[in-house]
Amino acid sequence: PDLWRALSVLAVLERAVSLDDWGKAATMSAERLEGVSRRALSLGLVRAESALGALRFALTHPLYPPLLRGQLAESELKTRYRAVMPVALDAFECSRWARLGDSPEALPLTRVALKAARSRSAWGEILQLCDAIQHLESDRTDLQFERGEALFRLGRFADALDVLKPLESAPAAELTCLVLARLGRDREGFAFSSQWLERFDAHTNFRLRYFWACFQARLGDETKSATWIAWLLRTAATPAQTSTALDALDWHSKIYAPHQPMQRLTRNLEGLAAFKTADLPNSISEVNHHIFIAENYVALREFDQALESLQTAQSLMQRTSNIDTLTIYHLHLGLWALESGKPEAAQRSLLK
């Protein structure tokens, strides 16, 4: 009985253990285990290996653990799993044994293991533990986003999409766009980001428009991509948002070798980004950049975007009482009005 109990414990552990841990799991005194271990070694069922100056014991063949476990009655196997929990290496291993042993501590231990896995960004463990908790608590649905993120981090993009797409939350919407980008499904990503725009707070709306700009760039709509990058740069309110806008501009620049006047627009967008990152708001040069961006949009026949850039320039001038660029502002406002079919407005602006 002692030999059988000792061997079945090693079969459940599935790894090498010290004599002390082996004894704890088998609930055997050191003297009894000494005799059992010598017999198991002589029969060739167990091997001893040295690690950091201490002996560790394991079954000699990889087929022995499943064969031995198969000989145990279900109740006895669960008892063995509960018995080895005190010698677990970490929370993940302990929670796994608790679940296999139907321990009443299975759920709390699995929650502890999930918290530990999160702290280490151990995505494989996070996925397993989320699945385990949902199995233990069948009505639990709040872990779906975490499962989706784990699948994404593990490179299982199609599986991540299946989990994330039905979720109606800001983080899920952002991550779904990222998954679609990784899958190269740009048209679907553009439609998805469009669907969720304005549904969430300003931060998420900004992130979704970032994906929108990137998807449009990859779909071949160079002008619309640049238009939304300009919007991102214009509305970026934090260093993080400016960084996001610059990332979209980088995407755009890598995809296209800009032609005239797109080349000028891209250059002016980069100039505007420089003012954002240098934290030099409301300067004359920043106003000029918005005016020149408007000029580029007029050349591209994007009159709504041109007017928006001119209005931003006007707002900056009013906030800073800056009249030094007023002449050039009215000149470009007149150009916009003339090109967009408003000759009377153009005349009024040019007279100013």
Side-chain angles (χ1 to χ4, degrees):
D2 284 353
L3 179 61
W4 172 247
R5 190 196 311 171
L7 292 175
S8 63
V9 163
L10 289 181
V12 166
L13 286 166
E14 293 188 87
R15 60 173 172 80
V17 289
S18 66
L19 194 67
D20 186 43
D21 281 350
W22 191 7
K24 284 179 187 173
T27 59
M28 298 172 90
S29 66
E31 294 78 12
R32 284 170 64 195
L33 189 59
E34 283 274 0
V36 169
S37 63
R38 280 197 300 270
R39 187 178 174 200
L41 287 164
S42 68
L43 291 170
L45 298 172
V46 170
R47 71 175 187 276
E49 53 191 50
S50 180
L52 300 174
L55 283 178
R56 302 176 73 80
F57 299 87
L59 293 170
T60 53
H61 196 281
L63 287 178
Y64 287 170
L67 286 171
L68 286 167
R69 290 196 302 270
Q71 296 302 308
L72 292 169
E74 184 180 358
S75 60
E76 192 178 0
L77 181 60
K78 289 180 178 180
T79 300
R80 290 285 183 273
Y81 276 120
R82 291 195 295 271
V84 299
M85 285 168 53
V87 300
L89 290 174
D90 53 31
F92 180 76
E93 190 174 65
C94 186
S95 71
R96 175 175 173 268
W97 289 339
R99 292 191 301 276
L100 289 169
D102 273 350
S103 167
E105 298 176 80
L107 182 57
L109 286 173
T110 303
R111 288 175 179 152
V112 169
L114 179 58
K115 185 177 180 181
R118 285 171 181 153
S119 69
R120 294 180 286 109
S121 297
W123 299 108
E125 292 183 14
I126 288 170
L127 182 59
Q128 290 183 53
L129 292 164
C130 285
D131 287 343
I133 290 174
Q134 287 192 297
H135 178 72
L136 292 167
E137 295 184 288
S138 56
D139 58 343
R140 186 83 179 260
T141 58
D142 59 308
L143 296 174
Q144 285 297 87
F145 173 74
E146 200 160 8
R147 289 186 69 247
E149 184 179 14
L151 288 163
F152 170 75
R153 301 283 185 173
L154 293 167
R156 294 169 55 183
F157 302 128
D159 291 334
L161 190 61
D162 288 340
V163 172
L164 292 166
K165 214 170 180 185
L167 303 182
E168 297 194 8
S169 72
E174 291 182 35
L175 191 52
T176 300
C177 285
L178 193 52
V179 172
L180 288 165
R182 292 293 180 89
L183 288 169
R185 291 158 66 170
D186 302 303
R187 197 165 299 282
E188 186 180 346
F190 175 69
F192 182 85
S193 57
S194 303
Q195 170 193 343
W196 290 104
L197 281 176
E198 315 297 350
R199 288 283 298 274
F200 302 113
D201 60 25
H203 169 75
T204 300
N205 188 24
F206 188 91
R207 288 280 298 167
L208 290 177
R209 287 190 190 276
Y210 155 76
F211 285 115
W212 216 15
C214 294
F215 286 134
Q216 284 176 318
R218 299 207 319 190
L219 287 169
D221 200 328
E222 186 178 4
T223 303
K224 284 186 179 177
S225 173
T227 294
W228 282 108
I229 293 167
W231 183 90
L232 292 169
L233 285 166
R234 195 163 54 245
T235 58
T238 65
Q241 288 186 338
T242 299
S243 176
T244 298
L246 287 171
D247 187 57
L249 182 59
D250 186 53
W251 269 53
H252 181 95
S253 301
K254 284 176 180 176
I255 292 172
Y256 298 107
H259 56 271
Q260 297 287 355
M262 182 61 73
Q263 191 171 22
R264 292 196 301 272
L265 175 58
T266 303
R267 193 161 55 244
N268 277 303
L269 289 174
E270 289 169 345
L272 181 58
F275 286 104
K276 288 281 187 179
T277 53
D279 195 23
L280 297 170
N282 305 330
S283 69
I284 294 173
S285 296
E286 187 181 4
V287 172
N288 284 337
H289 267 84
H290 284 291
I291 291 172
F292 293 143
I293 286 170
E295 179 187 5
N296 301 146
Y297 276 130
V298 169
L300 290 164
R301 318 302 290 175
E302 292 286 331
F303 298 117
D304 289 345
Q305 298 304 322
L307 182 59
E308 200 169 328
S309 289
L310 287 169
Q311 288 170 340
T312 302
Q314 183 186 37
S315 176
L316 283 170
M317 286 189 292
Q318 288 173 343
R319 286 206 303 269
T320 58
S321 302
N322 173 13
I323 61 170
D324 294 339
T325 54
L326 199 56
T327 301
I328 195 169
Y329 164 75
H330 282 296
L331 178 64
H332 282 84
L333 186 60
L335 174 66
W336 167 82
L338 188 64
E339 290 290 331
S340 60
K342 300 177 177 64
E344 293 180 1
Q347 186 178 23
R348 286 196 301 272
S349 186
L350 292 171
L351 284 172
K352 289 183 181 179

